[in-house]
Amino acid sequence: MLRVRSPLGPWTVGHTPSPESRPARFVPAQVPGAVQLDWARAEAWPPHWKGDNFKAYAWMEDVYWLYETRLPADPSPPGQSRVLVLVGVDYQFEVRINGQRRMAQEGMFTSVEIDVTHDADASLQILIWPIPKYPQAHRPKAQASRSCKPAVSYGWDWHPRLVPLGIWDDVFVETRPTTHLATAQLRSVLANDLSVAHVWLEATLSNPLPDAQLRLRLLSPSGDVALQRQFALGEAATQHELAAPLLWWPNGQGAPNLYTAEISLLNGAGHVLDERHSRVGFRRVRLVMNEGAWEEPSAFPKSRSHPPITLEINGRRVFAKGTNWVNPDIFPGTITAETYRPLIQMAQQAYFNILRTWGGAIVNKDAFFEQCDEAGLMVWQEFPLACNDYADDPHYLRVLDQESRAIIVRLRQHPSLCLWCGGNELFNVWSGMTDQHKALRLLNRNCFDLDPETPFLPTSPVMGMGHGDYRFRDENGREVYQMFAQANNTAYTEFGCPGPSDADYIASFTPANELFPPRKGTTWEHHHAFEAWSVAPESWLFPSLIEDYFGPCSSLEQMVAWGQLMQSEGYKCLYEEARRQKPFASMALNWCYNEPWPSAANNSLINWPARPKPAFYAVALSCRPVLASARLPQFSWIAEDLFKAELWLLNDSPHAVPAGRMTCCLRMDGHEVPLVTWEFPETAANENLAGPVVRALLPQGQAQTFDLVLRVEDHPDWDSTYTLCFRPGVQRGRVRVGAGNNA
């Protein structure tokens, strides 16, 4: 073995009021992990995610924490060196060996390497500072506005205030050859016609070696040698041509082809001193102008049009269907490859092709990007800025420069990385930033210098794009059906439709005496069913809204069933409406995909840790590459209403859809009423087809719902069903919300 990694341990940790004093007590620590979990485990505290137990952790953010262990006792082998590697420590820390300070750093995304060749059996201490808090912060999340620590843990509408600290990523001692590859990365760019991949190495040595040689072997997805070259270290930047590369494609557009790059360091005699292996993919990604965007502004004074937000992959415009990804756990140190795996697999199965990794959260571990590479999931990567004014403070900018460079260099080799973004919601009244802020100019510069082939956005949204709404019905009585049909955005990069979690799931963290009916001031509120969002006090449960459509609920199970139906149908409407607005609209990404802890109600599709809600399956149906679709004017109907629906065939696949036949019927009380048969023509690849408008007078009925059913002959996998609210016994003419065509 050229490199040998040795884990460290056992670890202990304790807290202290100052960096100079020693903790009065140490407890066992799990690394990677979080100091909060270590202390809670030692004290036998109940889980942080039950009830309001998270409040007990508040004091932990304001003390120092000291980790201790020992380095390997045996001396380094001849011709070898030992290096202590800290992949990620959260957030500001100091490393001491035998009581002597070796280094200090602010920033959790920049890895650290310390030579410990001559430190056999030495004591190792890692001191963690309290969390950063900007003293002039006008709200809790703004305490993160002078640091690169993710703001979400300071408290959000779906995340409690519980701010992690500790060693959150791998830590180990690596034995290496004294002369080794300090850095080694394969870089590439595709020719304009995509027929050739120009590849080169960026590599540095730990020590000079005049006769050193580098060998590059590139293995195809099938394992065959596609390219092999050997050259002097000084020739590393020389470009080599790989003819007819197999391209990496997003999910639904083609195969996510991955090559294996083997980079070897050879001495003058041809012996291998060191090796690095990685998987790489070849793709060209561009942000191009949306169709029709150059026509705006239409009047004088002529100024800037809406910025480009259509993704073009390998020369093909791709409609981005996906979601907003947040931390899969409150404590990033607990996240492993197995944490990511079910979430990535479900995203792929839902026909998603993009994940927006939101700027309020962590930059994910390597396993996330490796799995996205394999699944064909594009990653929109934001830097750790969100909803704050990150001012032009010299100290902050130095840390941001360090952190952003480390992030870019670590991630740029992943073909899934398709878009850099400065952060979330920075160009608005609550953040107050503009593209002239030095933080965003710095990030743009670093992305261009280190990864010029990947597009950059200063923030999301920018002019033309949409964030919101996040409710099934707004204060003006407009349902999602009307809100989105009236919208005209170049991309829908955040939109939400809330719904409750399953009843048994809610019961797992809610005391029995608080379970039903839900009410403020209880676990329901602590888990974001009430007062989560200041704009809507009943967020995210909205029990009054559920009752308005379906009447009083006699049980938790009944309330959950109706609320989940509304979320499922609302999300189907939102995704399909965004797709119908293609090509001017180019993206549909809901807020949000997953959660870091259990919520009683939220806009999410998947409960923590990886439990899909009914809305997940509804969205998966609406994101199929080809499907029969209906534009509906409203959710709630009564007898004698004139029902109306526009029929569509949606296609965002790279293949044409042959001509066929679609039938449409209403299903109520177990009976089906045929409405129309549509003989549709062939539909081109990546294009939609508008069909007829169907109308029917709704009959009397007893059930509280009815279905609109669309079937495509010979293609049952394209069929769709929409379940709508029906109010039996209600007379036409009664004032109703969301009345649509009968208003």
Side-chain angles (χ1 to χ4, degrees):
M1 296 291 291
L2 301 176
R3 293 178 180 237
V4 178
R5 290 186 177 183
S6 303
L8 295 173
W11 290 86
T12 57
V13 71
H15 61 85
T16 173
S18 72
E20 295 81 18
S21 60
R22 184 170 173 79
R25 177 188 173 202
F26 282 88
V27 300
Q30 290 186 5
V31 174
V35 297
Q36 290 93 338
L37 296 178
D38 295 329
W39 197 260
R41 192 180 303 110
E43 293 290 308
W45 287 1
H48 67 275
W49 47 268
K50 286 194 172 186
D52 63 354
N53 293 341
F54 66 92
K55 294 181 178 180
Y57 295 73
W59 62 271
M60 298 186 184
E61 65 186 40
D62 293 319
V63 298
Y64 293 82
W65 293 87
L66 186 66
Y67 283 96
E68 289 192 340
T69 191
R70 299 197 75 81
L71 295 170
D74 53 316
S76 300
Q80 302 280 303
S81 60
R82 277 199 176 132
V83 178
L84 171 66
V85 180
L86 302 169
V87 179
V89 181
D90 184 7
Y91 166 74
Q92 184 176 352
F93 61 97
E94 176 180 304
V95 179
R96 301 170 180 170
I97 297 177
N98 279 339
Q100 300 297 310
R101 172 174 164 169
R102 283 289 184 90
M103 65 82 60
Q105 177 174 290
E106 178 181 346
M108 61 185 289
F109 300 115
T110 305
S111 63
V112 170
E113 293 191 358
I114 302 173
D115 191 306
V116 293
T117 303
H118 305 295
D119 297 302
D121 200 31
S123 67
L124 171 64
Q125 296 179 321
I126 300 176
L127 180 69
I128 312 291
W129 260 249
I131 71 166
K133 292 183 181 180
Y134 176 51
Q136 279 77 51
H138 61 287
R139 52 186 179 152
K141 67 180 68 172
Q143 291 177 344
S145 64
R146 298 299 182 273
S147 76
C148 293
K149 189 165 176 62
V152 68
S153 54
Y154 290 74
W156 227 265
D157 58 273
W158 45 272
H159 193 300
R161 185 181 177 103
L162 210 175
V163 191
L165 288 169
I167 303 173
W168 77 282
D169 210 336
D170 289 340
V171 54
F172 53 87
V173 169
E174 186 171 77
T175 302
R176 307 168 175 171
T178 302
T179 298
H180 58 266
L181 290 164
T183 63
Q185 205 170 60
L186 183 72
R187 305 297 310 284
S188 67
V189 62
L190 285 170
N192 286 335
D193 63 0
L194 310 177
S195 64
V196 173
H198 300 282
V199 301
W200 68 96
L201 292 181
E202 290 189 2
T204 58
L205 295 189
S206 59
N207 293 298
L209 193 65
D211 56 352
Q213 294 277 306
L214 292 176
R215 183 175 67 204
L216 169 63
R217 294 178 78 237
L218 197 58
L219 306 181
S220 72
S222 62
D224 299 325
V225 177
L227 181 69
Q228 181 164 312
R229 298 286 188 274
Q230 188 167 318
F231 41 85
L233 181 64
E235 300 171 334
T238 302
Q239 289 192 359
H240 309 277
E241 292 188 355
L242 173 66
L246 298 173
L247 302 180
W248 184 93
W249 287 98
N251 188 28
Q253 297 293 319
N257 291 299
L258 294 173
Y259 287 71
T260 300
E262 298 178 350
I263 304 169
S264 303
L265 172 64
L266 312 177
N267 63 14
H271 297 136
V272 177
L273 299 178
D274 197 11
E275 285 185 337
R276 294 282 190 95
H277 292 184
S278 62
R279 302 184 77 188
V280 297
F282 302 109
R283 90 290 179 268
R284 186 181 69 198
V285 54
R286 292 174 175 168
L287 273 187
V288 298
M289 291 294 284
N290 296 45
E291 186 169 314
W294 280 124
E295 298 169 11
E296 299 293 338
S298 57
F300 290 101
K302 292 287 188 178
S303 183
R304 183 180 180 181
S305 301
H306 291 325
I309 193 60
T310 293
L311 279 165
E312 182 192 89
I313 309 297
N314 303 329
R316 179 190 302 164
R317 292 188 174 216
V318 173
F319 187 87
K321 297 176 299 187
T323 186
N324 282 267
W325 173 286
V326 301
N327 289 9
D329 198 279
I330 282 180
F331 298 101
T334 67
I335 298 171
T336 67
E338 295 311 308
T339 309
Y340 292 126
R341 197 171 309 282
L343 297 170
I344 296 295
Q345 289 175 346
M346 284 189 284
Q348 184 186 37
Q349 293 163 4
Y351 306 100
F352 289 165
N353 57 28
I354 190 169
L355 301 174
R356 175 184 175 229
T357 54
W358 174 70
I362 64 166
V363 178
N364 284 285
K365 298 179 178 179
D366 289 342
F368 170 83
F369 295 92
E370 292 164 359
Q371 293 178 29
C372 288
D373 290 344
E374 296 169 358
L377 290 171
M378 297 182 288
V379 176
W380 166 334
Q381 181 61 57
E382 298 191 351
F383 292 96
L385 292 79
C387 298
N388 285 320
D389 181 0
Y390 294 86
D392 298 339
D393 172 75
H395 173 78
Y396 166 67
L397 292 174
R398 283 195 297 271
V399 178
L400 180 63
D401 185 45
Q402 161 206 295
E403 292 281 83
S404 61
R405 287 177 179 275
I407 291 166
I408 296 165
V409 171
R410 176 169 70 92
L411 303 184
R412 65 185 179 183
Q413 65 181 333
H414 291 283
S416 57
L417 193 284
C418 287
L419 180 61
W420 293 109
C421 181
N424 176 71
E425 294 181 0
L426 303 177
F427 290 179
N428 49 45
V429 66
W430 54 84
S431 294
M433 296 181 70
T434 73
D435 51 10
Q436 295 305 307
H437 272 66
K438 291 180 181 177
L440 297 178
R441 293 173 62 190
L442 180 153
L443 292 172
N444 194 357
R445 179 202 67 191
N446 287 354
C447 286
F448 181 81
D449 287 348
L450 299 171
D451 190 21
E453 300 302 321
T454 303
F456 174 86
L457 283 177
T459 187
S460 179
V462 291
M463 198 55 140
M465 298 162 56
H467 273 206
D469 201 288
Y470 306 91
R471 296 165 292 178
F472 186 88
R473 192 176 80 196
D474 69 14
E475 66 276 5
N476 298 315
R478 295 188 308 157
E479 297 173 336
V480 293
Y481 299 86
Q482 296 99 44
M483 284 189 275
F484 253 44
Q486 296 165 7
N488 184 38
N489 292 319
T490 56
Y492 298 93
T493 48
E494 279 192 21
F495 55 85
C497 192
S501 302
D502 290 339
D504 65 322
Y505 185 78
I506 297 171
S508 70
F509 56 82
T510 305
N513 64 329
E514 297 181 359
L515 200 54
F516 192 80
R519 55 195 183 275
K520 299 179 182 180
T522 67
T523 297
W524 285 89
E525 182 172 336
H526 304 321
H527 289 255
H528 305 107
F530 296 101
E531 305 290 346
W533 189 32
S534 59
V535 175
E538 284 196 340
S539 56
W540 293 111
L541 182 61
F542 295 100
S544 298
L545 186 64
I546 297 172
E547 182 175 323
D548 189 60
Y549 282 107
F550 295 104
C553 296
S554 59
S555 68
L556 174 62
E557 289 74 15
Q558 186 181 53
M559 182 194 69
V560 165
W562 291 135
Q564 290 183 343
L565 171 64
M566 292 170 62
Q567 184 182 38
S568 297
E569 293 300 322
Y571 265 136
K572 285 164 68 175
C573 161
L574 292 166
Y575 272 93
E576 292 179 29
E577 180 58 35
R579 292 181 64 180
R580 278 190 287 269
Q581 294 179 19
K582 184 184 73 178
F584 183 73
S586 62
M587 293 188 179
L589 287 70
N590 85 296
W591 182 270
C592 57
Y593 181 56
N594 56 318
E595 297 175 344
W597 84 314
S599 68
N602 197 2
N603 292 274
S604 60
L605 302 177
I606 295 179
N607 283 131
W608 175 83
R611 176 169 170 162
K613 296 161 73 173
F616 167 81
Y617 300 104
V619 167
L621 290 173
S622 291
C623 288
R624 288 170 291 169
V626 181
L627 74 149
S629 177
R631 174 182 278 158
L632 299 163
Q634 64 197 62
F635 179 64
S636 180
W637 304 82
I638 62 174
E640 300 182 25
D641 265 347
L642 181 63
F643 177 81
K644 173 182 163 183
E646 298 177 21
L647 303 188
W648 287 73
L649 186 71
L650 303 183
N651 176 28
D652 59 27
S653 78
H655 309 292
V657 174
R661 176 182 299 166
M662 183 190 303
T663 60
C664 170
C665 68
L666 288 177
R667 183 166 59 205
M668 183 180 290
D669 293 329
H671 302 290
E672 287 194 359
V673 178
L675 298 183
V676 73
T677 297
W678 174 28
E679 303 275 354
F680 59 83
E682 179 177 325
T683 307
N686 198 32
E687 288 192 10
N688 300 325
L689 187 64
V693 177
V694 297
R695 294 178 175 84
L697 201 64
L698 289 177
Q700 294 288 345
Q702 299 302 314
Q704 287 184 278
T705 62
F706 70 100
D707 298 331
L708 175 68
V709 182
L710 308 181
R711 298 187 178 98
V712 181
E713 190 174 282
D714 299 326
H715 292 281
D717 52 321
W718 299 352
D719 295 352
S720 295
T721 299
Y722 303 88
T723 300
L724 302 169
C725 175
F726 187 75
R727 304 188 185 192
V730 177
Q731 297 300 312
R732 190 155 62 91
R734 172 185 169 181
V735 176
R736 302 183 314 285
V737 296
N741 57 296
N742 293 308

